Amino acid sequence: MTDPLARRGLYRLIYASRATDPAGLDEDLPAIVAKSIQNNRIDDITGFLAAGEGRFLQVLEGPGQVVAEVYERIGRDPRHDEIVLIADGLAERRLFRDWNMGQRRLEAEDASALAEVGLEHFTPAGLDEERALRLLITLGARHLR
């Protein structure tokens, strides 16, 4: 986040990362989401986390300064590695306003959502902003079912 003025408005940040312990992902994910929900309620952050194949794709929305602080905290979290910033910038409106942190653990039925954005496997670090958002929105809709 380079523009200091952007830290004052509604901001959206999307990143991908790899779990340092992919085998422990099933155990770590509920704790990550529970803590995120708790913190995000206080900080006025909304977003969505997709996890699978030892990888994460997450969008954060909220006040720019707070989003920047959350992203910095994620960067220090030893459960994440190979963090790639996909997009960050001002947002006109929240796309994930219904969740302080919604999440979906990818399943076999999500292969069609991956294919829609050109992925055969869940390797989100190579997505651009448009495809990452499309995937997160699709997975979010499945989360609501």
Side-chain angles (χ1 to χ4, degrees):
M1 184 179 298
T2 56
D3 181 0
L5 294 175
R7 292 176 180 248
R8 291 186 243 176
L10 178 62
Y11 207 78
R12 180 177 302 120
L13 183 145
I14 306 168
Y15 77 90
S17 66
R18 185 183 64 81
T20 52
D21 178 16
L25 186 59
D26 286 333
E27 185 178 312
D28 287 345
L29 195 56
I32 290 170
V33 171
K35 187 67 172 171
S36 294
I37 290 170
Q38 178 184 358
N39 290 339
N40 292 352
R41 280 187 183 137
I42 295 166
D43 293 334
D44 191 27
I45 299 286
T46 55
F48 194 82
L49 172 70
E53 299 181 39
R55 302 197 180 275
F56 299 103
L57 176 64
Q58 185 171 29
V59 59
L60 301 168
E61 301 172 322
Q65 181 66 39
V66 180
V67 169
E69 291 167 5
V70 170
Y71 184 63
E72 289 170 13
R73 187 169 55 239
I74 290 166
R76 295 187 305 269
D77 187 329
R79 296 173 293 194
H80 292 272
D81 194 9
E82 299 176 18
I83 299 173
V84 174
L85 181 63
I86 294 174
D88 67 330
L90 291 172
E92 292 183 21
R93 64 183 174 85
R94 292 179 191 255
L95 297 176
F96 298 89
R97 67 183 180 279
D98 294 333
W99 300 294
N100 289 109
M101 187 49 56
Q103 71 88 25
R104 181 163 178 94
R105 179 83 163 100
L106 271 74
E107 300 172 4
E109 69 187 44
D110 297 316
S112 62
L114 294 176
E116 286 177 24
V117 297
L119 296 178
E120 193 171 319
H121 299 282
F122 188 54
T123 52
L127 294 174
D128 60 19
E129 178 179 13
E130 185 269 327
R131 292 185 305 146
L133 274 176
R134 190 167 12 132
L135 179 58
L136 288 162
I137 289 167
T138 300
L139 294 174
R142 291 178 181 190
H143 173 74
L144 285 174
R145 282 193 249 164

